[in-house]
Each structure stands twice: as structure tokens, then as C-alpha cells.
Amino acid sequence: MSPEEMKNNKIQEFTVDALSKYPGKVAKKRSKSILTNNPEAALEIQANVRTIPGIITQRGCTYAGCKGVVLGPTRDVLNLTHGPIGCGYYSWLTRRNQTRPETDESANFITYSFSTDMQDENIVFGGEKKLKQAIIEAYEIFKPHSIAVFSTCPVGLIGDDVHQVCAEAEKELGINIFGFSCEGYRGVSQSAGHHIANNKIFTDVVGINDEPKPGKYTVNLLGEYNIGGDAFEIEELFEEMGITLTSTFSGNSSIYDMERAHTADLNMVMCHRSINYIAEMMEKKYGTPWIKVNFIGAESTAKSLMKIADYFDDEEIIAKTKAIIEREMPKVKAVVDEVKKTTRGKRAMLFVGGSRAHHYQDLFNEMEMEIVAAGYEFAHRDDYEGRKVLPDIKVDADSRNIEELTVTADPERYDASKQEKKVKKEAEGYLFENYEGMMPEMKKGTVVIDDISHWESEKLIEHFKPAVFCAGIKEKYAIQKMGVPLKQLHSYDYGGPYAAFDGAINFYKDIERIVGTKIWSMIKAPWENEPELVGEVYTEMQ
């Protein structure tokens, strides 16, 4: 039997084993979200559908996607959670978003947790009055430039009109105050929250300030959240190239810069799932073209930098970019060549939200590790199969909970010259608004699973015995109790940065330490070493 046949048999064994314990209807549904990858075939994966109750998903909620992901990393907007304290507290600093205020006096509210702390009486009699009081109190203490209000589940259930309250407070205080109907149940996952956040930032923030950031060539970086300092690494490269970064959505970001994001020459999308909406809307309204980039992995970083330089057709920037790559790649190669002595041939699995389960495969491939399985928590089909499938995706009832904005060209601020340049570059073969998706870039015979359950994770580990499992905090300790190290790629544990060239080196070294230690194989769960306790319960009948 050939190695490929053995691998196919193992995948089939895993699939049968994982699905066999589910009830019939559940197994039928889950089978559509578990595929054996084949880049040569037009495989269709089931994604962005409701999680089956009781399956123990790793997903987050709509509120988490809106407040925690998109707005949370922005330092100078005061993010106020309207709801009981639990949601506001749980979403406070959990992703290790970092920021660098421009001066010591610059506003930075990331270290604060703001909440209306709704109590029982507010649930019964309504919380609008308390929300208004909270907004005024926050303004009197902190004097923020903007306030964003986020609805949690009880708010939607009792019918508080956060948008009306925000409008009244804005008129009274004279600052930009906007609300998000991002109740946790509003979508099937945090992806709905991303979409809701994109819509409101587009309508209430982008376009407020028409003064461009000084610079010959200006760009926005969309979908980079500065986990562990990633954005700092990327920003330094842009500065050395001679590119001006107008705004990032949302790592190390400022609400002031978001307001003038529409003045940039080019949008670059890193996390396709969380931010592609605003990229498309900015192009329709202001004419700003967008491209897909990836700064995870040394090779991908080099390609993305050259793609940016090629867009601007400036010999000086192209020369500077080539010099950066020629300087950095030998450093990276020296480290990865050493690391490969430990990592070569070891197996990895990645089940992370956004584009991380895709992007981080580049780093593992550079270490010559084998990706045996990967998937997203909250992706749509286009994240797996590429944007070419967008016309085929049917809008279901859950997706209709999210407002679809009708966007037209701004009669005064639409810049036709940006589109003229796009047409010229396309004629040269340059790719815009293009994303091939994860599955076409994964090897044949790998396992792809959307919205993986705890049970399926256990079965994967049992059948494939990976050297490292990459996921989030909810899975971390359950996986490690199975004797497999888990590397968090939502918050990086306490590591990072992992973006760009220096970030790649950091990642190589961290993974080498993880897969090179024998401690994980020595871990035994208590029930493996101790006798099983058996008891009986008797009920005396009267």
C-alpha cells in the first residue's frame, strides 16, 4: 500500500469514527463540513451555518466579533458594553491587542472595561435610562473623542433602542456616539459581528475627516489586530519602504485615522473574513481599490511587500523593498535551517478563526512540518474555496439578520483616478479583490473541518497524533490533557509578535521548543494511573 493510500485510509477511518457516534441527522449534517481536501476538484464545504446544539463548538458570539475583534483594538474610542457585567468583563483584554499612543497625553482606553452593568430591574423595566447616564458619566470623566456602544443579548430581548439613545447623547455632548446591534444571538458566530461592525464604522466613522495623512503613497491595512505586537513589525517595514500607513483596522489604531481612511490610495486586506465588507464598500463609495496581502510567513511577507511596491510603480520604493527582502531573508533562512532539524516531518493541526488557519500554514511549511488538518471557527465558503464561489452562496435566514448597505459612489469624494490606475494595473496582470481561499493551497489528502467540535478534535488527535495543535483558549487545556501541546493563535499565549520577518523567527523558535520537548508524552491524566472509582446510588422506597 502506497503512503497516499495509507493516508486516505486513515482519513476515512477518522471520518467514520467521528461521525458514527452522532445521531443520524447530526452525522448527515456534520459530514458536509468534514472534507478530504483535493485542490484539483471543486469541493463544496458547508460553512457559516448554525452550530448543532450540544456539540461543544469553539465559536464565539456576534458581540465578541463586533466589540472584541473589530473595535476592541482601537485605543481612543471609548467602547461601552450595554448589558450585564459578564460580557464586558469577559471581552476585556483577552486578545492581547497592543497599541502605542502617539504621545503620553494621547487617549488610550484599551486598559479599561466599560459596562452599564445592567441589573435585574433594568432587564424588567428597560435599560435605556441607565445607558444614557453611563454615556454622560463616561464623557465627564474621560472626555473621549468618540463613544461606541455594544448591545449584548438581554438588550435585544427587552428591546432597548441603543441607536436612539446614542443619537440623543451625541446631540447633547457634541461628540460622535454610535451604537451596534450586535447581540450575541444575532448571527451563527462572531462573523456576524464583524459584518455589523464593518457597516457601522463605514456609515458613522469613515469619511468624517477629509484631510489626508501626509505622504506620497498612502495605504490602509485592514484585518490586522496587533496581537502580541504584529502590527508594529509591519508598520516598521512600511516606513522603511516609504509607504504612509493612513489607518489600520484595527490593531494599534486610532479613531482619528479611521475617519480619514477613505483618503488612502490603496486598501490591503489581511484577514479576509473580518474586514472584506468595508474594503468593498470603500471601493464603491470612494474608488479605493483593494488587494489581498499576508504578512504571516517570511515568503508571504516578501511577496506582499513586493505586491505593494509594484502597485505604486515607484523605482525608489521598489529598490527599498528589494533591499529589505535581501537583508531579512538570509536571517530568516539561518534560523529556519536550524529549527528544521527538530521540526521537519512533525505534524500540525490548525483550527483558528479568521484567516489564521490559512496564513499560519505558511510558517509551518517553511519549517517543513506536515499540516494534516485545518479549519475555521466562523468562516464562509469563500474563505475555504475562494471568492470565485461568492455568486453561488445563498443568503439564508440567519444572514438576513445583518443589514446589507446600499452603497453608491460619493458625488464629491469618489476618486476616479484610483479606478483608472486599477484598470491599467489589471491589464498588466495585477490581481485585485482576489482571494484563492484555504483549500486550493492545502495539499491533497489533508482534512478540512469547519466549526470543529470537541469530540472531533479528540478523534483527530487519536488517529493522527499531531506534534502541535493550534487553536484558542477554549480548547487549550482539554487538548493538553491528551498529551498534545496547544499553541494559541488567537492570542499567542504570551508569545509574539509573529508577523513579518522577525515575527517568523520568533514563531520558528517557539514551535521548535514546543515540539522538541518530551514533557507532553509524559503527561498522564489522573484516570490513567489511578483505579477507577465506582459507586452506586440507592433510593429507599417509602
Side-chain angles (χ1 to χ4, degrees):
M1 187 180 292
S2 69
E4 185 174 341
E5 289 174 327
M6 291 176 64
K7 180 186 283 188
N8 289 338
N9 283 348
K10 190 170 281 291
I11 292 173
Q12 189 174 7
E13 289 171 8
F14 153 73
T15 306
V16 171
D17 193 10
L19 296 176
S20 64
K21 297 296 190 292
Y22 289 137
K25 288 185 178 179
V26 174
K28 184 178 180 181
K29 183 175 181 180
R30 285 304 297 155
S31 67
K32 298 175 183 178
S33 294
I34 302 176
L35 301 181
T36 302
N37 193 47
N38 183 0
E40 300 165 7
L43 298 179
E44 179 179 325
I45 191 167
Q46 177 180 258
N48 194 39
V49 296
R50 293 187 186 189
T51 297
I52 299 164
I55 208 167
I56 314 182
T57 179
Q58 312 304 340
R59 282 174 167 174
C61 69
T62 299
Y63 161 81
C66 184
K67 190 267 185 186
V69 175
V70 179
L71 269 296
T74 306
R75 60 177 170 264
D76 49 8
V77 60
L78 192 150
N79 291 321
L80 174 62
T81 297
H82 184 36
I85 192 61
C87 296
Y89 187 81
Y90 185 74
S91 61
W92 178 38
L93 291 180
T94 53
R95 298 194 76 216
R96 296 184 65 239
N97 303 112
Q98 298 184 13
T99 194
R100 287 177 182 162
E102 294 178 359
T103 68
D104 292 339
E105 290 75 34
S106 299
N108 179 14
F109 303 122
I110 287 181
T111 53
Y112 292 91
S113 179
F114 300 98
S115 173
T116 54
D117 187 21
M118 291 177 71
Q119 301 296 311
D120 292 353
E121 64 181 83
N122 307 124
I123 302 297
V124 175
F125 298 107
E128 291 181 8
K129 187 178 292 186
K130 189 168 191 178
L131 172 60
K132 178 78 173 290
Q133 291 171 341
I135 291 172
I136 293 172
E137 181 181 344
Y139 178 76
E140 289 174 347
I141 297 171
F142 295 98
K143 296 295 189 294
H145 171 71
S146 303
I147 296 177
V149 177
F150 304 87
S151 304
T152 59
C153 291
V155 173
L157 294 173
I158 65 175
D160 277 0
D161 190 343
V162 298
H163 305 286
Q164 181 61 35
V165 174
C166 288
E168 292 174 2
E170 179 175 304
K171 193 172 182 180
E172 185 175 326
L173 299 175
I175 64 170
N176 190 15
I177 303 175
F178 46 95
F180 297 86
S181 296
C182 57
E183 297 86 359
Y185 58 76
R186 188 169 284 270
V188 303
S189 71
Q190 55 264 59
S191 174
H194 303 150
H195 197 163
I196 291 167
N198 278 231
N199 285 352
K200 201 66 174 178
I201 292 173
F202 181 73
T203 58
D204 287 45
V205 178
V206 175
I208 287 179
N209 182 359
D210 287 327
E211 183 180 352
K213 209 167 190 177
K216 187 177 181 181
Y217 303 111
T218 56
V219 297
N220 294 316
L221 181 58
L222 311 182
E224 194 344 274
Y225 301 105
N226 204 25
I227 309 297
D230 281 351
F232 300 150
E233 296 293 320
I234 301 168
E235 288 169 13
E236 288 177 6
L237 294 174
F238 289 162
E239 186 175 352
E240 190 173 350
M241 288 170 64
I243 299 291
T244 298
L245 182 63
T246 296
S247 179
T248 301
F249 291 72
S250 309
N252 192 34
S253 60
S254 165
I255 198 74
Y256 292 91
D257 291 336
M258 288 184 176
E259 291 173 353
R260 56 182 175 180
H262 63 293
T263 66
D265 300 316
L266 179 69
N267 280 328
M268 303 172 297
V269 172
M270 190 158 171
C271 177
H272 176 261
R273 182 69 274 134
S274 65
I275 214 78
N276 73 87
Y277 314 100
I278 204 165
E280 293 173 12
M281 291 188 291
M282 284 179 69
E283 180 158 13
K284 290 177 183 177
K285 186 171 183 177
Y286 302 108
T288 313
W290 70 268
I291 61 173
K292 181 71 176 70
V293 295
N294 175 23
F295 295 104
I296 301 300
E299 293 288 346
S300 292
T301 298
K303 289 177 183 177
S304 293
L305 292 179
M306 283 307 306
K307 187 174 184 178
I308 298 162
D310 287 343
Y311 174 79
F312 290 109
D313 281 330
D314 186 295
E315 291 183 7
E316 183 180 358
I317 288 179
I318 291 173
K320 286 181 178 179
T321 305
K322 288 181 177 178
I324 292 170
I325 295 168
E326 289 170 3
R327 181 191 70 212
E328 297 297 327
M329 288 302 284
K331 298 178 190 176
V332 172
K333 187 176 186 306
V335 175
V336 78
D337 284 348
E338 187 64 28
V339 164
K340 281 191 288 191
K341 297 174 183 176
T342 302
T343 61
R344 183 181 287 116
K346 298 287 178 63
R347 293 174 175 173
M349 296 177 177
L350 298 87
F351 291 95
V352 198
S355 297
R356 293 178 187 269
H358 181 191
H359 290 166
Y360 274 82
Q361 292 189 43
D362 291 350
L363 282 166
F364 283 108
N365 288 331
E366 288 169 1
M367 291 185 283
E368 295 185 13
M369 293 182 68
E370 181 186 1
I371 307 295
V372 293
Y376 297 119
E377 292 178 11
F378 50 78
H380 300 195
R381 278 184 56 205
D382 47 312
D383 298 300
Y384 287 103
E385 303 169 50
R387 289 179 64 85
K388 64 181 181 295
V389 303
L390 281 172
D392 300 329
I393 297 177
K394 296 179 181 178
V395 178
D396 59 16
D398 292 310
S399 299
R400 291 192 181 95
N401 288 332
I402 306 165
E403 181 186 10
E404 283 289 346
L405 301 181
T406 300
V407 182
T408 57
D410 189 295
E412 297 178 359
R413 293 179 290 178
Y414 183 87
D415 190 342
S417 66
K418 295 177 183 178
Q419 287 296 300
E420 290 169 4
K421 178 159 189 172
K422 176 184 175 181
V423 171
K424 178 176 177 292
K425 295 297 292 183
E426 283 182 323
E428 299 170 2
Y430 195 94
L431 294 177
F432 291 88
E433 61 219 52
N434 177 70
Y435 181 47
E436 295 297 329
M438 182 175 77
M439 286 163 54
E441 296 188 4
M442 287 181 67
K443 291 181 179 178
K444 184 178 181 179
T446 50
V447 182
V448 181
I449 307 178
D450 182 68
D451 186 24
I452 192 170
S453 71
H454 182 82
W455 163 255
E456 291 156 6
S457 299
E458 285 188 11
K459 291 288 109 180
L460 272 177
I461 290 170
E462 181 183 316
H463 283 269
F464 294 98
K465 298 178 174 53
V468 63
F469 194 105
C470 299
I473 188 62
K474 295 187 290 293
E475 305 96 306
K476 184 177 178 68
Y477 300 104
I479 297 298
Q480 289 183 167
K481 286 175 182 176
M482 298 181 70
V484 176
L486 185 141
K487 178 61 181 175
Q488 278 200 83
L489 291 185
H490 289 297
S491 63
Y492 297 175
D493 293 302
Y494 297 98
Y498 293 142
F501 302 107
D502 287 343
I505 291 172
N506 290 339
F507 193 80
Y508 299 151
K509 292 179 178 179
D510 283 356
I511 296 300
E512 179 194 31
R513 284 190 287 267
I514 289 172
V515 304
T517 180
K518 297 182 184 300
I519 189 66
W520 298 103
S521 61
M522 300 176 185
I523 293 177
K524 298 294 181 185
W527 53 83
E528 294 185 66
N529 296 326
E530 298 172 8
E532 182 181 2
L533 296 178
V534 179
E536 296 181 2
V537 178
Y538 290 92
T539 303
E540 185 176 340
M541 302 296 291
Q542 297 294 330

